[in-house]
Amino acid sequence: MNSPRALVYFGAALALAGAAPMGQSAAQPETVGTAVNVVIHASFEQTSDADQCVGAGALAAVRRGSSVILLEGSVSPDAPKVAVGQFFRSRLNDGICQVLYITSAPVMGSFNVQFVGPDGGLSSVFGPNPAEPVTDQPGIQQVVHIDVGFAPQP
């Protein structure tokens, strides 16, 4: 190992080892396919396009082209952001607007959720919302349910 050539090879091997990506567990927590299921009872508008419904009023950010931000589930208003998801679809079901976002997020017991409209407008933060494991949807391993608005009056 005293030859210059051996030192160069040894140095190159060390440099390559340092440049190799660290195992995911050492760098960041494991992320899994995550669905964010939003149910809007009253603050929505029906649309005639394929989406069928969008958020209204304080929930105007909930629509095609919007994003969802998942934050650590806590009562702190400054909870760290852990994932950003994209709008997947919305539909009317029994007079209730259901919106689905898809992302990859760490496995956690709960999340705070905030919506970002296509124009960059932010909604309020909702949560903490419990996360539940999913076993029957390929690629999705947890779901976060957000129930917003007011229940319809009988």
Side-chain angles (χ1 to χ4, degrees):
M1 185 99 150
N2 290 336
S3 76
R5 177 179 263 167
L7 288 174
V8 168
Y9 289 140
F10 181 72
L14 283 177
L16 285 173
M22 296 175 60
Q24 188 170 355
S25 62
Q28 58 182 317
E30 177 187 5
T31 60
V32 298
T34 302
V36 179
N37 181 44
V38 184
V39 177
I40 304 172
H41 292 279
S43 298
F44 71 90
E45 294 175 0
Q46 188 169 348
T47 65
S48 59
D49 62 12
D51 289 326
Q52 300 181 12
C53 58
V54 297
L59 297 172
V62 180
R63 61 186 57 247
R64 180 168 294 285
S66 66
S67 306
V68 64
I69 299 171
L70 295 180
L71 305 118
E72 284 184 2
S74 80
V75 294
S76 168
D78 299 326
K81 178 171 53 171
V82 295
V84 176
Q86 299 304 310
F87 176 94
F88 183 70
R89 72 160 193 239
S90 67
R91 67 185 180 132
L92 278 176
N93 187 14
D94 295 328
I96 296 173
C97 184
Q98 294 181 328
V99 184
L100 187 64
Y101 292 84
I102 304 294
T103 190
S104 182
V107 175
M108 299 176 78
S110 66
F111 294 92
N112 287 346
V113 177
Q114 186 172 32
F115 303 99
V116 182
D119 62 354
L122 294 172
S123 74
S124 299
V125 175
F126 298 91
N129 303 284
E132 301 171 13
V134 173
T135 58
D136 62 347
Q137 294 295 317
I140 302 294
Q141 294 177 322
Q142 70 180 342
V143 64
V144 180
H145 293 285
I146 297 99
D147 199 341
V148 293
F150 302 97
Q153 298 300 316

